[in-house]
Amino acid sequence: MKVEFKNRAYLIVSVIIVSSAILLTKTYRPYIYSNNINDFGFADTIGSLISVIGYCFFIWGLKEYSNRSKNIHIITSTIIYSFLWEFIALMGWHGTFDWKDILAGIFSGIFTFVIKEFIEAKSLKTPKSST
């Protein structure tokens, strides 16, 4: 069975985004911290910036979902990663609360939607292969 263009595109984007975040967390973040550089919180929010994109694109790469379902995934993931996760941190159950992570999670949700729309539009132009 041939995997559709969209599914491949979603998986590729997910792998690139998550791999980049791991690389940045292992190299960029320690460099910024050790040199006391103000990067306006980017090093602190790398995980939140990729959270919604990495998750949604990974599950969309494995299975086809309707556009409505994808939008619900984006909204749900944004709420979980932006608000619920940070609320849990505010309660002291994990990590530390950071309002920049809330903004980064919201940005991740918006960016996920924009990339999804691009891939969906592109897939309409891609000819379907007959199997």
Side-chain angles (χ1 to χ4, degrees):
M1 182 166 98
K2 208 155 169 64
V3 179
E4 288 189 37
F5 166 81
K6 286 191 298 190
N7 297 84
R8 277 190 302 230
Y10 287 131
L11 274 177
I12 289 167
V13 171
S14 176
V15 168
I16 290 170
I17 293 287
V18 172
S19 298
S20 298
I22 292 169
L23 182 65
L24 287 171
T25 300
K26 298 287 185 190
T27 59
Y28 178 78
R29 182 181 285 174
Y31 177 79
I32 293 299
Y33 289 170
S34 66
N35 291 297
N36 201 24
I37 297 171
N38 181 9
D39 70 345
F40 303 101
F42 177 72
D44 296 330
T45 60
I46 293 169
S48 296
L49 285 168
I50 64 102
S51 59
V52 180
I53 301 167
Y55 170 73
C56 287
F57 281 30
F58 181 74
I59 63 169
W60 300 341
L62 300 177
K63 180 183 172 194
E64 182 61 35
Y65 290 92
S66 70
N67 196 47
R68 182 176 188 274
S69 291
K70 289 176 185 172
N71 289 337
I72 291 170
H73 292 157
I74 293 170
I75 292 167
T76 305
S77 299
T78 301
I79 290 169
I80 290 170
Y81 288 118
S82 298
F83 300 104
L84 184 60
W85 191 249
E86 286 304 307
F87 176 74
I88 291 170
L90 183 62
M91 304 312 297
W93 296 336
H94 84 85
T96 57
F97 174 81
D98 187 354
W99 64 270
K100 288 181 243 171
D101 282 321
I102 293 173
L103 294 176
I106 292 168
F107 180 76
S108 182
I110 293 167
F111 198 54
T112 302
F113 180 79
V114 169
I115 298 172
K116 175 195 69 94
E117 289 296 312
F118 176 78
I119 292 172
E120 294 290 326
K122 205 71 161 148
S123 72
L124 293 175
K125 296 177 185 175
T126 304
K128 302 228 185 240
S129 63
S130 58
T131 53

